[in-house]
Amino acid sequence: MQQKRQPQRMCTGCGQMKDKRELIRVVRSPEGALAIDKKGKLPGRGAYLCPNADCLKKAVKTKRLERNLETPVSDEIMEALKKEIEAVD
Ligand SMILES: [Zn+2]
């Protein structure tokens, strides 16, 4: 029996490893701008989040999100992330 090998990434909120495609990717471009990477193709430093509000809250509260991205997370990106999570739910 062969197991499927999907690339796994760790959620910045809960710390669980999940299939990359199930996670939301936030990316910091080489210019330092943050964006939500819906296709997983943008270049830059990325952080991953489960599409749920608890993980987002945890990632922000522990400052793991901004630490992973090495840049503060703006309100604009927070709002965009919340919308993204709502869209998935
Ligand atoms: Zn999570």
Side-chain angles (χ1 to χ4, degrees), residues 11-16 18 23 49-50 52 55:
C11 167
T12 316
C14 63
Q16 281 181 51
K18 299 222 168 157
L23 300 167
L49 269 178
C50 303
N52 78 60
C55 286

Side-chain angles (χ1 to χ4, degrees), residues 59-74:
V60 171
K61 211 175 151 194
T62 59
K63 303 212 182 284
R64 239 189 306 193
L65 187 58
E66 58 182 60
R67 223 183 295 156
N68 271 13
L69 295 164
E70 296 178 344
T71 191
V73 178
S74 68

